[in-house]
Amino acid sequence: MKYKGFLLDIDDTIYDYTSANNVALNQVVQFCKAEFNLDENVVRNAYMQARKKTHFILQGTGSSHNRLLYIQKMLEDLGINPLRYGLQIYNIYWDTFLENMQVFPFVDEFFDKFGVQICFVTDLTSHIQFRKIQQLGLADKVKYMVTSEETGHEKPHPFTFLQGLQKLNLPIEQVCMIGDSFEKDILGARNIGLDAFWLNLANKKREYNDKGIIEILSFSDLKNYL
Ligand SMILES: [Mg+2]
């Protein structure tokens, strides 16, 4: 096989992020509805606004994804003491999320075969990405991860990819990137000359014609190339 190592995105690449996030967010909304006697839509809107503000202020950093910051801001806007309830709601969110992560077909086989050759490259805070990897049973199979909290920059910034290569200790031509975001994962990888597999889950139209990019429509399509 051509590749000796893999840089691998986590969210929406090895499991279905959207469905886990929907269930977790709904659990938060139901808790706030019952505990504070609030309308569901009021809570949901407050959360989305708080998320938007956090993204705006912390754009390009791992902290921009920190749910504790979203929840703190949401509670402040709703006039509820975040120091009393913030951590409890944060734990409801992530505990529910972790329980509801569904890995894509072929992920387990992929890690059984290539685990030691993988470095995760991911835009989020390290604490929760470590928890996800443990929950998915991958902590004994994979040794390396680079998060945007660790590098101070989010993909497509080259730092994340370059640190991943360093951790794998492999030359660039022996490594490929696998990820779902064309802008972050694929253009970021191609920017430093890494080959890339684009997991095009939404079957989007491809914008660039580039021989270094192989498009796949499901994770299990990787079988055909490895
Ligand atoms: Mg992703």
Side-chain angles (χ1 to χ4, degrees):
M1 202 231 329
K2 188 177 170 189
Y3 303 110
K4 293 204 165 69
F6 303 91
L7 299 181
L8 185 64
D9 175 51
I10 296 177
D11 301 293
D12 264 341
T13 291
I14 61 170
Y15 78 97
D16 180 359
Y17 168 85
T18 310
S19 66
N21 180 59
N22 287 345
V23 181
L25 186 53
N26 192 48
Q27 203 64 18
V28 166
V29 170
Q30 295 312 318
F31 173 85
C32 293
K33 183 185 169 191
E35 191 75 22
F36 311 124
N37 195 24
L38 289 167
D39 184 82
E40 275 183 37
N41 287 331
V42 170
V43 180
R44 209 172 278 279
N45 285 340
Y47 181 88
M48 295 317 287
Q49 284 298 317
R51 178 177 176 273
K52 215 173 177 178
K53 284 182 202 164
T54 310
H55 275 189
F56 182 74
I57 291 163
L58 294 171
Q59 213 171 35
T61 71
S63 303
S64 70
H65 310 286
N66 188 341
R67 272 42 169 193
L68 189 54
L69 299 178
Y70 304 176
I71 290 162
Q72 181 180 12
K73 212 174 276 297
M74 171 186 86
L75 293 174
E76 284 166 356
D77 289 348
L78 292 170
I80 296 159
N81 181 358
L83 299 185
R84 166 71 180 81
Y85 290 103
L87 209 46
Q88 186 182 358
I89 297 174
Y90 175 79
N91 288 332
I92 288 171
Y93 177 89
W94 280 121
D95 291 347
T96 310
F97 188 105
L98 292 170
E99 278 165 23
N100 284 280
M101 283 190 301
Q102 305 278 344
V103 292
F104 292 134
F106 187 61
V107 164
D108 288 334
E109 295 97 302
F110 181 77
F111 281 93
D112 284 341
K113 195 163 179 195
F114 300 111
V116 293
Q117 297 154 264
I118 292 168
C119 177
F120 292 116
V121 287
T122 175
D123 282 352
L124 226 141
T125 48
S126 295
H127 176 260
I128 193 59
Q129 298 307 67
F130 273 67
R131 280 188 75 190
K132 284 179 192 168
I133 296 313
Q134 284 205 326
Q135 174 74 24
L136 294 174
L138 300 174
D140 290 329
K141 297 178 184 171
V142 183
K143 286 192 289 185
Y144 305 117
M145 173 151 69
V146 181
T147 71
S148 58
E149 184 179 40
E150 182 182 347
T151 62
H153 296 275
E154 298 226 293
K155 295 176 283 185
H157 195 285
F159 273 14
T160 308
F161 303 96
L162 293 171
Q163 281 220 17
L165 286 173
Q166 239 172 33
K167 290 191 188 197
L168 287 173
N169 196 21
L170 287 171
I172 198 163
E173 60 278 6
Q174 292 179 10
V175 178
C176 69
M177 173 71 205
I178 304 167
D180 69 291
S181 166
F182 193 82
E183 288 72 25
K184 284 171 166 261
D185 299 319
I186 308 310
L187 293 185
R190 293 303 296 142
N191 183 41
I192 63 161
L194 269 167
D195 286 354
F197 286 93
W198 178 32
L199 176 55
N200 184 7
L201 290 174
N203 204 359
K204 286 186 196 157
K205 203 170 174 299
R206 182 170 163 166
E207 289 172 45
Y208 302 87
N209 204 4
D210 177 343
K211 280 201 303 255
I213 302 171
I214 296 173
E215 187 178 330
I216 51 174
L217 296 176
S218 72
F219 192 86
S220 53
D221 285 351
L222 279 173
K223 266 187 243 178
N224 307 324
Y225 300 94
L226 304 176

